């Protein structure tokens, strides 16, 4: 009889325990750039997107931890301004695109408040694994065609950074909630090396806007 009671207690406790675990999908837009030294200046942002899986574990009534598994586009653009023989800008320009695509694994911990409607703030560390790196040079009428240079084999394959994000969520039903957030990410390491702009440093940074849905296990 005691064994039966113990078993029933464990079974009925599982849903309560499980509601601390949330899995879901998230995605959104990025606006990224780079901090550079001994490199081209006056960079502009690259607009890209990110998407993938998210997991959260609620440690208590106000604290949580989690990890995401995301594909994310990062990079920047740079304008080449044309001048005449006197060095005066002609008003024409081309824009080179430095595109870097990664798998990222943000590991986060943070604070939340509220139940059906809640707000949260997270801090975290982000390892990145490079998937693709390309320089896209646009066509110059009468001179060259558009050219894409694959730099994947030259760029440092691993990047590492930090993040901060704030957001809010709304519980739709007992087990589903939708959320949105805005975050800032900054790389601590440079993607340059002896084969890729050896005398320079390039560190990614950017803002992410995310929306998603989570399910309580």
């Amino acid at each position: 009889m005691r064994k039966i009671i113990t078993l029933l207690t464990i079974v009925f406790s599982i849903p309560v325990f499980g509601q601390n675990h949330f899995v879901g999908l998230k995605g959104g837009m990025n606006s990224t750039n780079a901090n550079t030294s001994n490199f081209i200046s006056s960079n502009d942002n690259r607009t890209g997107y990110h998407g993938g899986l998210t997991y959260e574990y609620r440690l208590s009534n106000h604290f949580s931890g989690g990890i995401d598994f995301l594909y994310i586009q990062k990079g920047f653009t740079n304008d080449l301004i044309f001048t005449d023989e006197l060095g005066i800008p002609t008003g024409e320009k081309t824009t080179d695109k430095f595109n870097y695509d990664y798998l990222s694994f943000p590991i986060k911990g943070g604070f939340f408040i509220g139940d059906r409607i809640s707000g949260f703030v997270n801090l975290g560390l982000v390892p990145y694994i490079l998937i693709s790196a390309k320089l896209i040079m646009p066509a110059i009428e009468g001179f060259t065609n558009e050219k894409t240079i694959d730099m994947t084999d030259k760029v440092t394959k691993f990047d590492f950074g930090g993040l901060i994000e704030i957001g809010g969520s709304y519980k739709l039903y007992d087990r589903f909630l939708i959320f949105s957030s805005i975050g800032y990410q900054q790389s601590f390491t440079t993607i340059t090396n002896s084969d890729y702009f050896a005398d320079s440093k390039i560190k990614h940074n950017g803002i992410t806007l995310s929306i998603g849905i989570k399910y309580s296990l």
Side-chain angles (χ1 to χ4, degrees):
M1 185 64 179
R2 288 183 179 178
K3 292 182 179 180
I4 295 175
I5 293 174
T6 302
L7 179 61
L8 289 175
T9 301
I10 294 173
V11 170
F12 284 107
S13 297
I14 288 174
V16 176
F17 174 78
Q19 291 184 20
N20 292 327
H21 297 264
F22 294 83
V23 295
L25 300 172
K26 68 181 294 185
M29 303 296 295
N30 319 315
S31 180
T32 61
N33 208 314
N35 304 116
T36 63
S37 64
N38 297 325
F39 195 66
I40 50 179
S41 59
S42 301
N43 299 326
D44 292 319
N45 290 4
R46 178 193 182 187
T47 299
Y49 63 89
H50 65 276
L53 304 175
T54 182
Y55 166 76
E56 177 188 6
Y57 175 65
R58 297 198 168 176
L59 303 166
S60 67
N61 290 334
H62 295 295
F63 294 95
S64 66
I67 185 171
D68 298 336
F69 302 89
L70 304 175
Y71 167 80
I72 184 169
Q73 295 180 326
K74 303 169 79 69
F76 55 93
T77 63
N78 186 264
D79 293 335
L80 175 63
I81 308 297
F82 291 99
T83 60
D84 60 20
E85 61 275 9
L86 299 177
I88 300 173
T90 62
E92 298 181 351
K93 67 177 183 179
T94 62
T95 301
D96 292 338
K97 300 176 182 179
F98 292 79
N99 294 345
Y100 307 89
D101 299 343
Y102 290 88
L103 290 178
S104 70
F105 309 93
I107 303 166
K108 301 176 289 184
F111 175 83
F112 69 92
I113 186 169
D115 184 21
R116 180 165 294 275
I117 299 176
S118 64
F120 60 85
V121 58
N122 290 321
L123 297 174
L125 298 173
V126 191
Y128 303 90
I129 298 176
L130 183 70
I131 299 175
S132 172
K134 293 181 180 179
L135 168 60
I136 302 175
M137 305 172 69
I140 301 177
E141 186 175 355
F143 291 94
T144 62
N145 297 321
E146 181 177 284
K147 185 178 182 180
T148 298
I149 302 174
D150 192 334
M151 307 178 295
T152 308
D153 291 338
K154 295 183 179 297
V155 176
T156 299
K157 299 299 185 293
F158 180 79
D159 191 24
F160 186 72
L163 71 83
I164 180 172
E165 65 177 3
I166 59 174
S169 65
Y170 176 73
K171 187 181 291 184
L172 293 174
Y173 304 104
D174 287 340
R175 291 183 177 273
F176 285 95
L177 61 84
I178 56 174
F179 66 93
S180 64
S181 66
I182 179 171
Y184 176 78
Q185 298 185 14
Q186 172 67 59
S187 290
F188 303 141
T189 56
T190 179
I191 62 173
T192 58
N193 53 60
S194 59
D195 295 322
Y196 186 70
F197 299 105
D199 297 325
S200 304
K201 292 184 178 180
I202 303 174
K203 297 181 180 181
H204 293 300
N205 64 67
I207 294 173
T208 61
L209 299 173
S210 304
I211 59 173
I213 185 168
K214 292 180 181 178
Y215 175 75
S216 174
L217 297 177

